[in-house]
Amino acid sequence: MDCVAGVARVYELVLRVDAGPSASDEQVERQVRNLYRDLRTLGLFHVERKEAPAPAGSMASAGYEIGALLVSGAFSAAALKAVSNVLVAYIQRSKGRSVEWEFDGNNGTFQRCPRRTGTSWSRSCPP
């Protein structure tokens, strides 16, 4: 954990749910609510919907990005492991889901890999 004058640095983790190509916006939002509840259960982070800016020239206010969550807090190795455990359990409940993540300039995807690879989970499945 990075500290400046004894204050822990707050990091942000962006998670985007991909519910599959045939999922409606309502289905994606339902799945995001489920992941939101799962992450809040940890009690380690602040979890909220990721805001999206209003379209240029629009009088509308900012809205929310469909399928996206913003998780913020002090991320220790144990906390990141807890998040990854939640994401793996979340993805196991449905074979069509994946979760893209962005953290501190890095990104990747949690997805279920085909059993034939011999690896159930990886950052990216081999072809």
Side-chain angles (χ1 to χ4, degrees):
M1 172 172 22
D2 293 336
C3 293
V4 177
V7 178
R9 179 174 170 198
V10 175
Y11 288 93
E12 292 184 341
L13 169 66
V14 177
L15 301 172
R16 289 186 180 83
V17 172
D18 181 353
S22 62
S24 67
D25 287 350
E26 291 81 18
Q27 290 169 317
V28 172
E29 287 303 305
R30 188 174 333 112
Q31 291 190 13
V32 168
R33 283 192 301 273
N34 290 337
L35 180 56
Y36 174 88
R37 279 192 295 271
D38 292 349
L39 291 167
R40 292 285 306 238
T41 300
L42 287 175
L44 299 173
F45 309 102
H46 179 74
V47 183
E48 62 186 350
R49 301 301 308 271
K50 183 169 183 340
E51 288 190 12
S58 168
M59 293 184 67
S61 61
Y64 294 105
E65 185 178 321
I66 292 176
L69 294 173
L70 180 65
V71 182
S72 57
F75 286 85
S76 65
L80 283 172
K81 176 68 174 154
V83 169
S84 70
N85 288 342
V86 166
L87 292 173
V88 167
Y90 170 78
I91 292 167
Q92 281 180 323
R93 292 193 299 256
S94 172
K95 54 185 159 177
R97 284 191 270 212
S98 65
V99 177
E100 296 176 9
W101 58 268
E102 294 176 24
F103 182 77
D104 201 28
N106 299 297
N107 59 34
T109 303
F110 278 89
Q111 61 189 5
R112 190 172 196 149
C113 294
R115 291 199 184 268
R116 66 177 171 75
T117 65
T119 305
S120 297
W121 302 96
S122 67
R123 240 180 98 184
S124 62
C125 295

